[in-house]
Amino acid sequence: MDYAGSRHTPGDYYSHTDDELLRYESWNECRWLRILDFDPHITYLVAQPLTIEGFDIEGTLTATPDIYAETRDGERLVIDPHVSELDMLDPKDAIRAARRARLVGATCEYLGWTYYPVETPPQPLAANTDFLADFARDIGYDPVRPTILQAAHRATTLSDLWKQLGMTLGNHPLVPSCTYHLLWTHELTFDRNERLSTQTIVRSTSDH
């Protein structure tokens, strides 16, 4: 349930990996879902996959990791976005959070899974992913997709690519958005860890 005035910002994220709506509890968790959705190695993605129960000196300890993912190589990942314990006002809450993290980590180690307790997503990867997610859907790019991929068979900046396409496609309104869509789908490659701009170098990932 959502409460007015809550410090969290829950909502639903549409996963292109699984064609499912995933419920998230905070903006930080949403951004990590988006980054994982963008990762071509991720083949399965789900939110709040399981609840783990354990015990500590105060009694029953319950932990619900935020994200579970699987990769093409068969690796199973648990990603738990959280705020830094130093940001918690109540020291008891920080201690309890640390114990829950250890419980999740120990369970993942037993199962042979990899556990990632994470905080704020790294920049500029997060900003790039936030931007490209708006172009993830194919809204009818077939008229320009092959031409863009062919024009990018050699590495070129986005600015030069669009100038080249202007000579063949004219000022086609779908060119910029289709280019960003192809970056999201990894049909065009770029350095995800450098801030996306008109000077970003892109290249087609296959011959056309």
Side-chain angles (χ1 to χ4, degrees):
M1 182 178 294
D2 303 342
Y3 297 93
S6 170
R7 62 181 290 188
H8 301 295
T9 51
D12 294 308
Y13 174 75
Y14 175 76
S15 167
H16 298 271
T17 300
D18 299 284
D19 193 25
E20 296 283 351
L21 280 178
L22 304 180
R23 185 68 173 171
Y24 60 84
E25 296 180 336
S26 69
W27 175 237
N28 193 37
E29 183 182 341
C30 177
R31 298 191 84 187
W32 278 107
L33 283 170
R34 191 173 289 154
I35 288 171
L36 291 164
D37 197 20
F38 179 53
D39 190 328
H41 297 101
I42 299 296
T43 58
Y44 179 70
L45 192 58
V46 66
Q48 300 177 3
L50 74 164
T51 297
I52 303 168
E53 292 187 355
F55 299 92
D56 64 5
I57 59 175
E58 296 182 15
T60 302
L61 186 66
T62 302
T64 303
D66 288 322
I67 303 170
Y68 170 83
E70 296 178 1
T71 71
R72 295 185 187 280
D73 298 330
E75 187 177 7
R76 301 187 176 200
L77 314 174
V78 170
I79 300 94
D80 213 359
H82 62 278
V83 296
S84 170
E85 292 170 15
L86 296 177
D87 295 334
M88 294 184 178
L89 297 179
D90 189 340
K92 291 183 179 180
D93 289 342
I95 293 171
R96 200 72 170 159
R99 290 173 180 169
R100 283 195 294 268
R102 286 196 293 269
L103 173 63
V104 176
T107 303
C108 288
E109 183 178 4
Y110 175 78
L111 294 171
W113 300 356
T114 303
Y115 176 49
Y116 292 105
V118 295
E119 296 182 10
T120 304
Q123 294 289 1
L125 173 61
N128 289 339
T129 308
D130 289 344
F131 175 76
L132 292 177
D134 288 337
F135 303 93
R137 287 186 58 196
D138 187 336
I139 59 172
Y141 292 129
D142 287 348
V144 296
R145 180 194 299 263
T147 307
I148 294 174
L149 292 173
Q150 177 60 40
H153 72 284
R154 292 182 180 177
T156 182
T157 66
L158 280 176
S159 178
D160 288 342
L161 174 65
W162 289 335
K163 287 179 183 177
Q164 180 182 348
L165 290 168
M167 293 185 289
T168 56
L169 294 173
N171 195 23
H172 200 295
L174 287 179
V175 166
S177 60
C178 181
T179 303
Y180 293 134
H181 172 74
L182 295 172
L183 291 172
W184 173 270
T185 61
H186 307 284
E187 293 169 84
L188 290 177
T189 61
F190 75 110
D191 187 345
R192 299 185 300 168
N193 296 310
E194 295 291 335
R195 188 60 185 259
L196 189 62
S197 73
T198 56
Q199 297 307 304
T200 295
I201 296 175
V202 301
R203 184 173 184 172
S204 173
T205 57
S206 59
D207 294 331
H208 293 268

